[in-house]
Amino acid sequence: MVSDGFRDLLRKAQAGDETAAERLLTIVRQHLAQSAQKYADFGQAMESTSDLVQEASLRVWQRLDQFRGGESDEECLAMFLAWSVQIVNRLGLNAKRDRATQRRSPAR
């Protein structure tokens, strides 16, 4: 993955440039997918992984203004990947917890 110009791309995306935001999400998508695989529901592995990546991409996009990058392109890219994977992990743990939770049914 090439980090040249990543900080500029990030700044443009944070300023509202949709093309830059799409490019940014394209860069990070593979890492999101790799992280999402460990949270997949085995009965629907492809669908659940895809859904998790989609939800994480949305959250990254929505919270783009909250990310503060590093000093260099390389450091900024590494921090951005870690930040976005952290979002996947949190969403994945929430989904896993929700699948495991027994649904309460009213007493009859």
Side-chain angles (χ1 to χ4, degrees):
M1 180 175 300
V2 177
S3 61
D4 292 342
F6 186 80
R7 290 177 66 215
D8 290 333
L9 179 65
L10 177 64
R11 280 192 216 112
K12 287 178 185 177
Q14 288 174 325
D17 184 332
E18 289 182 25
T19 304
E22 286 176 25
R23 186 160 173 240
L24 196 64
L25 289 173
T26 299
I27 290 170
V28 75
R29 188 152 301 167
Q30 181 64 33
H31 290 278
L32 297 179
Q34 288 173 346
S35 295
Q37 287 178 351
K38 63 184 168 192
Y39 300 106
D41 179 5
F42 294 110
Q44 304 172 4
M46 289 305 293
E47 292 84 7
S48 64
T49 300
S50 175
D51 291 344
L52 184 55
V53 170
Q54 190 69 18
E55 180 67 24
S57 296
L58 177 62
R59 297 282 175 97
V60 167
W61 178 74
Q62 289 173 332
R63 295 183 174 133
L64 205 51
D65 62 330
Q66 296 175 6
F67 178 76
R68 301 293 174 248
E71 298 294 320
S72 66
D73 285 334
E74 294 82 18
E75 183 181 17
C76 190
L77 175 59
M79 290 173 71
F80 188 77
L81 291 174
W83 178 73
S84 58
V85 167
Q86 186 177 19
I87 291 172
V88 169
N89 289 337
R90 180 56 46 207
L91 291 171
L93 288 171
N94 289 346
K96 203 171 190 179
R97 180 200 62 218
D98 292 347
R99 284 192 305 265
T101 302
Q102 291 182 339
R103 301 290 180 207
R104 292 176 60 177
S105 57
R108 294 184 187 232

